[in-house]
Amino acid sequence: MPAAGLAPRRLHPVSPFVGALGLARRQFLPLLLALFAGRNVGPFPIVLGLILTVGVVISVLEYVRRTYGIEAGAVVVDEGVIVRRRRVVALERIQQVDAEAGLVQRLLGVVTLKLDTAGGGADADVTLSVVSRAEADRLRAFLRHAGAGVGLVAPHDEGKAEKAEEAEEDVLLRIPPAELALAGITSIPLLLVLTAFGPLTELFEERVDAVFGWIETTAEGRPPVAVAAVVIAALSALWLGGAALASILSYGGYTLTRRGRDLHVAYGVFNRREASMAIDRIQAVRVHENLVRRRLGRAALHIQSGAIVGEKTRLVVPLLPAAAVHDLVEVVLADVEVPAGALEPAPPAARRRALLRRMLPAGLAAAALVAVVPAMPAVAIAVLVVAVAAYDGELHYRGLGLGTTASVVVGRAGGLARETVIVPASRVQALRIRTSPFQRRARLATLELPIAGTGRTPTIHDQLELRLAQVAGAVLPVSAADERRQRAASGSRAD
Amino acid sequence: MRLVWTVKLAASAVAAVVVVLLWALAAGVTLLVPLAVAGVLTAVIVWWPRARYEHWSFALGPATLELRRGVLWRSETSVPYFRIQRVDIERGPVERRWGVAELRVRTAAHAGDARLPGIAETDAEDLRRTILTRASDDTTF
């Protein structure tokens, strides 16, 4: 067993200043700008200085009074200037340890360490802002090490984990900048980039006006279609470039590694983020592919853990070759066999359902349109609407898929953007088969596989009810075997 | 339980009728509208709780708790005993008045909960204990 504890200690001495700086940036900078913008300054700078000074003093006091350490299998944080507070978080409840460093923090060689636990409430996670790089590494190693005895690492692999501590570190994936640019360009929420440009256009309003003026003068006397084409091309180039740049900045230097029974991810050019997740806590993996990415043979991965708190319940792989997905998922889900090759398609009844569900509302709307405006353009629009609905329905039908092995269930759904969810049978908590009146007529059903945590429930849509019952029946024994193993392990731990 | 659902539904129906009635009076619409609404709602009050009750059943199977529910959109849930974390007993004011309770069987998954409504108050604690016993020493697999 590892050492029992870590003596109480303070955060890094620059902590209060990093804290104050953050506060200043968030609260006072806008205020300052506002003050200088309006010329009537008056006594405000003095008041502001006073507030800032008080802020720094409070930060320093808080720093002096805050200690953290590890004793008796728990992280203990003592804090509070006047009212003392002690927080105790059991090591076995820590789901994930994240390190994050902004630009200033990186220059100072410090990081913010975040311990996410499974459990709700305000005390759910512990944030250590800030500790030195070396201290963060030491703490993380300690947590991993200590976790081996209390549940961070599956007990039946204790020996393996201890060894892993020494050397074993597998780099599973690095994503080069070109791929990241592609990830940005092919990501669906491209609109985000446009909204990001919003504030910028306000800042450079005059210049934007100048650009428009320049466009107007240049465009004079030229055919309007050509001008429109050039403007649209320029805007799209800007848009795509922005998306690519944003993706490179946020995911730059993306590295996914496996250290023993932990997954570890680090990324970001300015804001460097690091996160770890215990492999034994991973509940499901989702593969996202939209139409463009499918054509390019690429996919994105979302790895979902059982943590309940915050958004740190998943790790994201922004883009990887579709051919590499299978092997990576088998590493990430450890000890399972993921089906290779094509999934089972949904039965023909599912195609009828997919088409009907989309064409019926579209048809009704189209009929209403033609009834109100009995003219040729309206008819053309009506036909187009129904055709698009049919295409969408066909896409959704083709998106449906089901796959199983002895240890996992795989379900795929979606039209333009497809999502494949891969759930180890051992993680399934319950089984639910749903049917709507329409599904019952076609002997179809939907299978839900609830897993721990607050993420979305893995769902397999529109397969034959009999087939789903068969899948469900095969899941339970595997799930039970896993539970038995864990109970046996926790029993031996109590000794 | 039918009675409880009828009472709850009737209470909201009366409220809805009152709202429609007030609106009809204020807007000067013919009183036939609230009358029609009341008629439809009465039919629903008679039919819905009965249908819901008949389509809501549970059974303690050898390895799993089986729950079926839903009139039009049906679902069949199997909760393996070994995954059960907690069983809660819930009683609202209407439930207390008629001496029934609802058992909520919870797992680690948010979506894995099973609701067993309309258990006689006197049986609820026994049923809860039965389920928990099976949950803690499940050897069926």
Side-chain angles (χ1 to χ4, degrees):
Chain A
M1 280 299 285
L6 208 62
R9 73 229 9 238
R10 294 206 176 107
L11 297 168
H12 195 276
V14 301
S15 299
F17 302 100
V18 172
L21 202 70
L23 198 71
R25 206 171 45 199
R26 278 196 305 276
Q27 310 289 336
F28 295 110
L29 209 63
L31 216 70
L32 266 177
L33 282 177
L35 281 176
F36 287 124
R39 272 162 213 105
N40 191 5
V41 177
F44 282 114
I46 301 156
V47 175
L48 216 61
L50 263 173
I51 294 175
L52 209 60
T53 315
V54 171
V56 169
V57 169
I58 289 175
S59 295
V60 171
L61 282 177
E62 276 178 348
Y63 160 72
V64 172
R65 301 281 280 173
R66 177 179 294 144
T67 62
Y68 67 93
I70 297 175
E71 54 184 72
V75 175
V76 179
V77 180
D78 281 306
E79 61 189 356
V81 175
I82 294 162
V83 180
R84 297 288 285 169
R85 205 157 70 110
R86 164 169 277 222
R87 286 159 66 186
V88 182
V89 178
L91 292 181
E92 60 185 355
R93 298 188 60 81
I94 295 172
Q95 295 272 344
Q96 197 173 328
V97 182
D98 290 350
E100 197 186 325
L103 201 56
V104 177
Q105 298 191 10
R106 284 177 78 186
L107 288 177
L108 293 169
V110 294
V111 298
T112 300
L113 208 62
K114 222 175 196 174
L115 315 178
D116 280 329
T117 64
D123 287 351
D125 54 353
V126 172
T127 304
L128 300 178
S129 173
V130 294
V131 295
S132 72
R133 199 63 252 184
E135 173 73 4
D137 287 343
R138 190 160 62 230
L139 209 58
R140 234 176 349 189
F142 189 92
L143 288 176
R144 268 209 305 280
H145 215 77
V150 288
L152 252 189
V153 173
H156 55 102
D157 283 317
E158 233 169 278
K160 209 161 125 197
E162 305 249 327
K163 255 182 274 148
E165 214 53 59
E166 314 304 325
E168 195 191 332
E169 180 172 317
D170 275 352
V171 175
L172 301 175
L173 183 73
R174 284 185 212 278
I175 307 181
E179 286 285 298
L180 289 174
L182 195 63
I185 292 169
T186 57
S187 65
I188 292 183
L190 273 176
L191 280 175
L192 275 179
V193 182
L194 275 191
T195 45
F197 278 131
L200 280 183
T201 50
E202 266 168 45
L203 265 176
F204 302 110
E205 210 165 306
E206 281 170 28
R207 280 183 208 174
V208 170
D209 281 347
V211 169
F212 276 115
W214 174 78
I215 291 174
E216 265 174 51
T217 43
T218 332
E220 253 169 37
R222 287 166 209 260
V225 178
V227 174
V230 168
V231 169
I232 288 173
L235 278 180
S236 334
L238 200 69
W239 190 17
L240 294 178
L245 191 68
S247 171
I248 290 175
L249 288 184
S250 52
Y251 287 113
Y254 186 99
T255 319
L256 181 69
T257 43
R258 185 170 65 91
R259 293 178 187 166
R261 301 292 284 188
D262 274 349
L263 274 189
H264 187 81
V265 65
Y267 57 85
V269 172
F270 293 126
N271 246 352
R272 191 86 185 145
R273 284 166 187 276
E274 286 179 34
S276 329
M277 187 184 268
I279 284 181
D280 297 285
R281 296 282 160 99
I282 292 171
Q283 306 288 321
V285 177
R286 291 170 196 273
V287 185
H288 291 258
E289 301 161 293
N290 58 35
L291 198 60
V292 185
R293 285 180 180 176
R294 280 209 298 280
R295 290 269 180 278
L296 296 171
R298 302 289 198 286
L301 286 191
H302 289 193
I303 301 166
Q304 191 177 333
S305 89
I308 296 174
V309 185
E311 290 162 27
K312 292 283 168 57
T313 54
R314 54 178 210 194
L315 292 184
V316 177
V317 180
L319 199 75
L320 76 167
V325 169
H326 177 268
D327 290 353
L328 183 61
V329 170
E330 281 201 342
V331 172
V332 163
L333 290 178
D335 315 322
V336 302
E337 186 199 347
V338 178
L343 298 177
E344 297 170 33
R351 168 180 274 143
R352 280 197 294 278
R353 181 169 145 77
L355 289 175
L356 211 63
R357 273 182 83 176
R358 286 165 187 87
M359 286 175 73
L360 204 65
L364 287 177
L369 178 71
V370 174
V372 175
V373 193
M376 206 42 220
V379 174
I381 290 175
V383 169
L384 189 72
V385 165
V386 175
V388 167
Y391 177 65
D392 190 39
E394 179 66 21
L395 268 185
H396 270 89
Y397 167 70
R398 289 192 188 172
L400 291 173
L402 163 70
T404 53
T405 65
S407 45
V408 298
V409 180
V410 178
R412 192 183 62 199
L416 284 174
R418 282 182 187 174
E419 186 186 87
T420 310
V421 60
I422 302 161
V423 198
S426 60
R427 297 285 185 260
V428 174
Q429 299 283 328
L431 293 152
R432 179 173 293 138
I433 294 182
R434 284 183 185 284
T435 54
S436 75
F438 313 106
Q439 279 180 315
R440 278 198 296 280
R441 280 191 51 191
R443 298 181 192 285
L444 297 174
T446 296
L447 174 66
E448 288 182 358
L449 304 158
I451 49 174
T454 47
R456 278 181 302 138
T457 301
T459 306
I460 293 156
H461 297 274
D462 276 348
Q463 294 284 345
L464 285 179
E465 192 169 2
L466 282 173
R467 176 77 181 104
L468 288 181
Q470 195 187 339
V471 171
V475 163
L476 279 186
V478 181
S479 191
D482 177 70
E483 177 71 15
R484 222 178 14 236
R485 207 174 57 212
Q486 291 209 357
R487 280 189 190 186
S490 65
S492 69
R493 253 186 280 155
D495 295 340
Chain B
M1 198 57 212
R2 254 183 295 177
L3 192 65
V4 170
W5 280 335
T6 308
V7 169
K8 282 185 169 177
L9 199 60
S12 13
V14 167
V17 169
V18 167
V19 168
V20 174
L21 190 67
L22 287 177
W23 167 77
L25 287 176
V29 185
T30 164
L31 285 181
L32 280 177
V33 176
L35 251 163
V37 170
V40 170
L41 284 179
T42 311
V44 170
I45 290 168
V46 171
W47 169 74
W48 176 247
R50 184 182 295 267
R52 197 174 175 208
Y53 179 77
E54 271 161 19
H55 283 98
W56 200 320
S57 62
F58 72 90
L60 301 183
T64 54
L65 170 74
E66 300 285 337
L67 175 80
R68 285 160 185 265
R69 57 176 286 197
V71 178
L72 292 176
W73 277 265
R74 292 187 194 153
S75 75
E76 293 173 23
T77 309
S78 315
V79 186
Y81 294 121
F82 60 81
R83 288 294 194 206
I84 293 172
Q85 304 251 340
R86 232 169 75 204
V87 181
D88 296 343
I89 298 180
E90 289 183 14
R91 274 167 306 189
V94 186
E95 278 88 348
R96 279 203 298 274
R97 168 71 183 73
W98 274 282
V100 293
E102 175 173 311
L103 251 62
R104 286 207 179 187
V105 178
R106 296 182 196 271
T107 65
H110 232 56
D113 291 356
R115 292 170 55 195
L116 317 180
I119 314 287
E121 232 164 351
T122 42
D123 299 342
E125 190 50 45
D126 283 349
L127 182 59
R128 176 168 176 256
R129 211 153 284 161
T130 309
I131 295 174
L132 284 177
T133 310
R134 293 199 186 197
S136 59
D137 49 37
D138 180 26
T139 50
T140 38
F141 279 98

